[in-house]
């Protein structure tokens, strides 16, 4: 009996995401964007760069933005810094040597988390398109062009990127995780909008940011949640193929993944309170909420049932199932998937105690 329930739950745990992935890939991914893009659209943009102790990489990042193929007179950079290292000094020196681009440096008196910093920067943002840029990512040189062109169509409210990890992470997990998720992001974007954005490059119509009252400061996933709010009022929030390189921490990879999982769960929980206009987006949001908030627990319950069945009732079937489940660990994709489920479960438990709004820095 127990083995039947466990098998059913395991089937559900693996079946639902596979079915969703298959559906998204075959029905949504081949769709046209249904967005009228003007490749030559060149609006004025404000690039917001929040920084907390980024002295090691800030110069490379500024140069990366400076080298964008985009007219410098149409760009301004607003840096909001809450560091206690030399980040701000490095920015000032760099700007003295490169004063053909407008830079505003805001020094926060107190560190209150990334979303607070973004809201502060928003007050100094002069342009209609605002692009959030994390310090630890590198953009391809046409990233600004490629992101802003979508805003030439009025239906688009927010644009983010897809991520390529620069390292494969623990046991190759980061690489595997990304290829599955990127297909989903792209497919959801084509269907209407994706509820998962990336702070490494997240562009917004400023008018809409103000309409949703800026970035939420009570949860960690400011980028994804803001994009979801914008999609909920009927604008498209999309992640087209703009590939951004991201530095993956060399140490504490697990705590980095867990913190991000915590933020995603916070975002999806908060999003359950939103009223969604678009029907397709309602489905997308429901599916992603299920995948992040409920699905990991189903696997945990199935596993516990099998273990109880083996230990208490000496079930050979359950023992065989546990054995098969362990053998499958040899497959990289399966390993990646399982680790992600474990991160999500630990994250949900950690969320009870701390939201990690101002998080520890990982060494990259
Ligand atoms: N001013 C300020 N104050 N900046 C901060 C703070 C803060 O308290 N905390 C972090 N930052 C800056 C970092 O310096 C970096 O430029 C950016 O915000 C992102 O921080 P990371 O430490 O690199 O975050 P991450 O990559 O692990 O987190 C990812 O997920 C988050 C949600 O879970 C990113 O995509 C974030 O953008 C996203 O918010
Ligand atoms: Mn980062």
């Amino acid at each position: 009996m127990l083995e039947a329930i466990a098998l059913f739950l395991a089937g559900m745990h693996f079946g639902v995401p596979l079915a969703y992935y298959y559906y998204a890939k075959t029905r949504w991914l081949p769709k046209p964007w249904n967005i009228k893009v003007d490749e030559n659209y060149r609006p004025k943009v404000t690039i917001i760069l929040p920084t907390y102790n980024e002295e090691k990489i800030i110069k490379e990042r500024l140069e990366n933005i400076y080298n964008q193929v985009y007219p410098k007179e149409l760009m301004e950079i607003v840096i909001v810094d809450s560091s206690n290292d030399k980040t701000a000094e490095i920015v000032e020196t760099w700007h003295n040597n490169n004063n053909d681009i407008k830079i505003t440096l805001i020094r926060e008196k107190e560190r209150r988390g990334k979303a607070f910093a973004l809201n502060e920067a928003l007050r100094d943002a002069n342009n209609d398109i605002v692009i959030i840029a994390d310090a630890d990512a590198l953009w391809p040189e046409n990233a600004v062009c490629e992101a802003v062109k979508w805003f030439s169509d009025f239906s688009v409210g927010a644009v983010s990127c897809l991520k390529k990890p620069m390292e494969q992470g623990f046991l190759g997990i980061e690489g595997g995780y990304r290829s599955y998720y990127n297909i989903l992001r792209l497919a959801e974007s084509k269907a209407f909008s994706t509820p998962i954005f990336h702070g490494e490059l997240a562009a917004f119509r400023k008018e809409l940011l103000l309409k949703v009252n800026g970035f939420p400061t009570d949860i960690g996933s400011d980028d994804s949640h803001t994009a979801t709010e914008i999609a909920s009022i009927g604008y498209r929030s999309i992640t087209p193929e703009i590939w951004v390189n991201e530095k993956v921490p060399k140490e504490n990879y697990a705590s980095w993944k867990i913190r991000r999982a915590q933020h995603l769960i916070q975002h999806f929980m908060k999003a359950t309170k939103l009223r969604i206009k678009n029907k397709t987006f309602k489905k997308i949001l429901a599916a992603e909420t299920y995948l992040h908030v409920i699905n990991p627990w189903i696997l945990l319950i199935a596993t516990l049932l099998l273990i109880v069945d083996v230990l208490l009732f000496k079930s050979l079937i359950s023992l065989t199932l546990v054995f098969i489940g362990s053998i499958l660990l040899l497959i990289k994709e399966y390993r990646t998937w399982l680790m992600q489920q474990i991160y999500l479960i630990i994250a949900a438990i950690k969320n009870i105690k701390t939201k990690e709004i101002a998080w520890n820095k990982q060494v990259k």
Side-chain angles (χ1 to χ4, degrees):
M1 184 57 194
L2 279 186
E3 53 268 64
I5 302 174
L7 210 55
F8 172 78
L9 291 176
M12 185 168 160
H13 172 85
F14 291 104
V16 173
L18 275 177
Y20 182 60
Y21 180 72
Y22 182 77
Y23 184 89
K25 202 172 165 175
T26 54
R27 295 284 183 89
W28 293 338
L29 195 62
K31 272 191 171 190
W33 283 97
N34 276 330
I35 296 171
K36 239 200 228 128
V37 173
D38 174 1
E39 298 282 342
N40 298 316
Y41 186 56
R42 298 284 180 273
K44 282 182 148 186
V45 299
T46 299
I47 296 168
I48 297 183
L49 189 54
T51 50
Y52 172 66
N53 291 355
E54 303 288 7
E55 64 180 9
K56 282 206 193 114
I57 52 178
I58 188 63
K59 189 162 171 262
E60 188 188 3
R61 186 62 170 119
L62 286 170
E63 260 147 33
N64 175 244
I65 295 174
Y66 185 81
N67 289 327
Q68 281 295 303
V69 185
Y70 206 78
K72 289 202 177 27
E73 62 279 11
L74 298 180
M75 287 200 285
E76 65 167 356
I77 306 177
V78 179
I79 295 171
V80 212
D81 181 58
S82 61
S83 308
N84 45 39
D85 67 357
K86 295 231 154 26
T87 305
E89 286 78 359
I90 296 172
V91 170
E92 274 169 350
T93 314
W94 187 87
H95 191 210
N96 287 338
N97 299 330
N98 302 276
N99 49 21
D100 53 341
I101 188 161
K102 184 174 179 229
I103 295 192
T104 309
L105 172 64
I106 305 168
R107 288 173 181 242
E108 295 183 286
K109 285 192 201 76
E110 174 195 5
R111 182 189 183 204
R112 291 188 300 170
K114 184 186 161 198
F116 277 100
L118 297 182
N119 286 332
E120 188 132 352
L122 210 49
R123 275 179 239 133
D124 276 290
N126 294 306
N127 302 330
D128 292 342
I129 304 295
V130 169
I131 311 183
I132 311 301
D134 286 352
D136 60 345
L138 289 177
W139 290 350
E141 59 179 20
N142 61 349
V144 173
C145 272
E146 285 299 309
V148 300
K149 71 178 191 191
W150 301 89
F151 290 98
S152 59
D153 188 310
F154 195 68
S155 68
V156 175
V159 176
S160 188
C161 58
L162 298 175
K163 292 205 275 193
K164 236 188 325 199
M166 289 193 225
E167 299 85 17
Q168 287 294 306
F170 177 59
L171 299 177
I173 290 173
E174 197 58 26
Y177 169 79
R178 282 292 156 212
S179 48
Y180 167 82
Y181 276 73
N182 282 334
I183 296 274
L184 283 184
R185 291 299 75 76
L186 206 53
E188 292 169 342
S189 297
K190 285 193 170 178
F192 182 71
S193 292
T194 179
I196 299 185
F197 255 42
H198 304 122
E200 288 73 16
L201 187 165
F204 301 92
R205 243 181 242 288
K206 193 173 80 183
E207 184 198 331
L208 294 176
L209 279 180
L210 299 177
K211 198 166 174 179
V212 301
N213 296 319
F215 297 93
T217 49
D218 57 334
I219 58 165
S221 229
D222 46 79
D223 31 36
S224 296
H225 198 74
T226 309
T228 302
E229 281 190 89
I230 287 175
S232 77
I233 56 174
Y235 293 88
R236 307 257 317 251
S237 291
I238 58 169
T239 51
E241 283 195 67
I242 304 169
W243 292 96
V244 169
N245 284 316
E246 176 184 34
K247 291 201 166 78
V248 175
K250 296 190 179 65
E251 291 161 30
N252 298 324
Y253 176 76
S255 52
W256 180 68
K257 293 292 281 185
I258 292 166
R259 189 236 313 148
R260 287 179 161 202
Q262 278 185 267
H263 290 168
L264 279 177
I265 294 169
Q266 292 162 15
H267 151 51
F268 284 115
M269 295 303 287
K270 193 174 162 77
T272 57
K273 299 192 190 90
L274 290 175
R275 277 199 43 200
I276 315 285
K277 271 193 176 169
N278 182 282
K279 273 195 195 138
T280 307
F281 189 56
K282 225 180 205 169
K283 282 188 212 153
I284 292 172
L285 194 57
E288 291 295 345
T289 306
Y290 169 82
L291 290 181
H292 288 86
V293 181
I294 300 169
N295 206 38
W297 295 91
I298 296 194
L299 181 67
L300 181 67
I301 296 170
T303 312
L304 291 177
L305 285 181
L306 288 180
I307 293 173
V308 168
D309 207 25
V310 172
L311 295 181
L312 250 58
F313 305 108
K314 313 267 178 283
S315 160
L316 269 182
I317 302 177
S318 288
L319 188 64
T320 315
L321 290 173
V322 172
F323 183 71
I324 294 173
S326 323
I327 288 292
L328 287 175
L329 284 173
L330 291 172
I331 303 170
K332 190 172 133 191
E333 286 76 13
Y334 175 79
R335 231 168 31 222
T336 304
W337 181 263
L338 278 197
M339 286 311 292
Q340 188 60 22
Q341 307 312 304
I342 294 172
Y343 295 145
L344 283 163
I345 289 172
I346 300 174
I349 298 169
K350 276 192 87 181
N351 265 343
I352 301 170
K353 267 190 109 176
T354 161
K355 283 186 166 179
E356 298 273 354
I357 300 291
W359 56 81
N360 282 333
K361 216 185 136 52
Q362 261 89 30
V363 183
K364 288 171 195 130

